Amino acid sequence: MNRQEVVLCSLQETPELEEGMIFVRITDIIIRMLKVPLLAIGIILAVVLPVQHSSGALKTLDLTVYPDGTTHVSQQSAADTQLPELMVSLFGKTIDNFVAQDQDGLLLTYEINSNTAKIQTFGASSVSIEYDSYDLISKEGKIWTFKIDSPIDYTLTMPEDTVIVGMTDFPDLVETINNKQHLSLSNGPNEINYFFGVSGPAQSASESIAKSKTLIEQLNDDGIETPLAKEKLDQAIAAFDNKKYLDAGKLASESEQLAIQEQKSAQNTTNSTNSTFDTLSKNVVGIATSLAAIGGAITTIALIIKRTKSAVKKTIKPILSKETNAESEDEFADAESDQNMREDDKKLVEFLAKSGGQAFEKDLRKKFLLPRTTMWRAVKRLERQDIIVIEKKTFRIW
């Protein structure tokens, strides 16, 4: 290939020239003319055509499940040093705390679109990324479910004190470190079902809280209010959330005892009401019978008294009558002459007539200021004359 040649002509060799001259000979002028358009075309293509990027193969994948249902993802992908960008598929569409670094730990710029990240590699051969995903775990009741479809083998770290109850693909290796299970799993789809369990004081407190809560709910369903037990249970739950397990267990036990006391109190009130109603129901016939008997006795006594009054009136009427007809005067004279009634006896009979035809002996003694013996002789005398009738009153209640 010809090269450019520069020839310097001195003044001595060319005396006919007054000044020195430089001659330049270009042998590859055509090649130089072609390089300029090629360079321009390259610049245009670099501006117009899209930048090429690589989709690096996933090399490692480590997952850590947190108690709140978040999954922390750490993955590493290979990158092409000749390409400025790397496209990486992410596990989940809801991404947070994203960080991308090259093999030397330098931070790389990125752009996330749905479940894909475009990372500016700047000639890096390997890219490591970390982020939090909220789409890998779902919850139904007390059971949590972790679900993933990984293109490579990966490791999974479960939260502390979890109990796995179901798994699509069994792990190759399981290790427990600090109450956390570390699983080595194969590529492909997998689903893990688990729930949170506890041990030691925390487990005891959790069981006490669950027991008290169940009892309170049952009592409330039966219509029994348990305000004191509920308040104590809330205190137990708050203590448990603050990891004060001993206090939580004690408060839960107190809540259960209060619930039992409130249950007994409600039952006693109900039993007392039912007992009173049953007693009234059972004795209503007896009470009605007693009332009927008492009413009959009162009626009988009233009839006796009424008849006694009538008999006394009929007996003393001929004696005390002041009518002027001859029949009455003859009857009174016959009675007075036949019975030879004394004046004090007559006053006694008059008092009985004014008292409705009956009186107690004590009332007679009080009226006439007579000793008991004298009064007794007077009433006996009148009884012998068939003017009055002496009755002893004895009252009974059936």
Side-chain angles (χ1 to χ4, degrees):
M1 182 176 181
N2 295 329
R3 299 290 183 181
Q4 297 180 2
E5 295 180 358
V6 179
V7 178
L8 178 63
C9 299
S10 63
L11 294 176
Q12 294 179 356
E13 295 178 354
T14 54
E16 68 275 9
L17 298 176
E18 296 180 356
E19 295 180 356
M21 297 180 65
I22 297 177
F23 295 93
V24 179
R25 184 171 63 246
I26 300 176
T27 58
D28 55 350
I29 187 62
I30 297 176
I31 296 174
R32 184 175 291 275
M33 292 176 64
L34 291 174
K35 284 185 176 181
V36 174
L38 290 174
L39 181 61
I41 292 173
I43 294 174
I44 293 174
L45 290 176
V47 175
V48 175
L49 295 179
V51 178
Q52 294 183 355
H53 55 263
S54 64
S55 297
L58 188 61
K59 297 170 60 177
T60 62
L61 177 62
D62 299 303
L63 305 171
T64 301
V65 177
Y66 293 147
D68 62 353
T70 305
T71 303
H72 183 73
V73 182
S74 298
Q75 61 187 76
Q76 186 178 28
S77 301
D80 190 344
T81 57
Q82 302 298 321
L83 297 177
E85 295 179 350
L86 174 66
M87 302 297 293
V88 179
S89 297
L90 306 178
F91 294 93
K93 296 182 179 180
T94 308
I95 305 300
D96 197 7
N97 303 322
F98 189 92
V99 176
Q101 296 175 308
D102 65 5
Q103 68 275 5
D104 298 323
L106 296 177
L107 295 176
L108 303 176
T109 59
Y110 60 88
E111 180 182 348
I112 297 177
N113 183 16
S114 184
N115 62 338
T116 303
K118 182 171 66 176
I119 303 173
Q120 307 296 329
T121 58
F122 300 105
S125 60
S126 177
V127 175
S128 299
I129 61 175
E130 293 189 9
Y131 56 90
D132 293 331
S133 175
Y134 301 99
D135 302 325
L136 301 183
I137 294 179
S138 59
K139 181 181 179 182
E140 183 176 354
K142 294 183 178 181
I143 302 299
W144 298 62
T145 301
F146 171 82
K147 190 174 183 180
I148 193 173
D149 188 0
S150 174
I152 63 171
D153 296 348
Y154 60 98
T155 63
L156 176 64
T157 301
M158 300 297 295
E160 184 178 357
D161 298 322
T162 54
V163 179
I164 297 177
V165 295
M167 187 177 299
T168 304
D169 187 14
F170 290 95
D172 300 328
L173 178 65
V174 178
E175 294 180 328
T176 302
I177 303 175
N178 296 328
N179 295 328
K180 294 182 179 180
Q181 298 185 66
H182 299 265
L183 293 76
S184 298
L185 298 163
S186 301
N187 64 316
N190 199 353
E191 184 174 311
I192 300 175
N193 301 317
Y194 65 95
F195 69 90
F196 287 91
V198 291
S199 60
Q203 182 177 2
S204 178
S206 177
E207 292 175 353
S208 298
I209 291 174
K211 186 177 180 181
S212 177
K213 184 177 180 181
T214 301
L215 177 59
I216 291 174
E217 289 177 351
Q218 290 177 351
L219 294 178
N220 294 158
D221 291 340
D222 294 338
I224 300 176
E225 297 295 333
T226 56
L228 298 178
K230 282 183 178 180
E231 181 180 0
K232 192 67 67 173
L233 178 61
D234 292 339
Q235 296 175 5
I237 295 174
F240 188 89
D241 292 340
N242 293 328
K243 297 184 178 181
K244 297 179 180 180
Y245 301 125
L246 294 178
D247 294 341
K250 182 179 179 181
L251 291 169
S253 298
E254 293 176 358
S255 173
E256 182 181 0
Q257 294 300 320
L258 287 172
I260 294 174
Q261 292 177 6
E262 289 173 324
Q263 180 186 21
K264 290 181 178 179
S265 177
Q267 290 176 347
N268 291 337
T269 303
T270 303
N271 292 338
S272 177
T273 303
N274 293 337
S275 177
T276 302
F277 179 77
D278 292 341
T279 301
L280 291 174
S281 299
K282 293 178 181 179
N283 295 334
V284 65
V285 177
I287 294 173
T289 303
S290 300
L291 292 175
I294 294 172
I298 294 174
T299 303
T300 303
I301 294 172
L303 290 174
I304 293 173
I305 294 173
K306 183 176 181 181
R307 290 175 181 176
T308 303
K309 289 182 179 180
S310 178
V312 171
K313 287 180 179 180
K314 289 181 180 180
T315 304
I316 65 175
K317 182 178 180 181
I319 302 173
L320 302 178
S321 177
K322 301 301 183 178
E323 294 180 355
T324 58
N325 60 76
E327 183 180 359
S328 298
E329 290 179 355
D330 293 340
E331 186 178 3
F332 179 78
D334 293 340
E336 186 176 7
S337 59
D338 294 340
Q339 299 177 5
N340 297 322
M341 181 179 295
R342 297 169 48 171
E343 188 64 28
D344 51 354
D345 292 343
K346 185 178 180 180
K347 293 181 179 180
L348 182 60
V349 174
E350 290 178 353
F351 177 76
L352 289 172
K354 293 179 180 179
S355 299
Q358 63 179 356
F360 288 102
E361 182 185 357
K362 63 178 182 178
D363 296 331
L364 298 175
R365 294 199 310 269
K366 184 177 180 181
K367 172 64 178 177
F368 298 102
L369 301 177
L370 296 175
R372 181 175 183 180
T373 305
T374 305
M375 181 56 65
W376 176 248
R377 291 174 181 173
V379 295
K380 290 297 290 182
R381 185 167 53 250
L382 292 173
E383 183 182 29
R384 287 194 301 268
Q385 296 175 0
D386 295 330
I387 298 176
I388 66 172
V389 177
I390 300 175
E391 294 182 356
K392 293 183 179 180
K393 300 294 184 180
T394 301
F395 296 94
R396 295 181 182 177
I397 299 178
W398 289 266

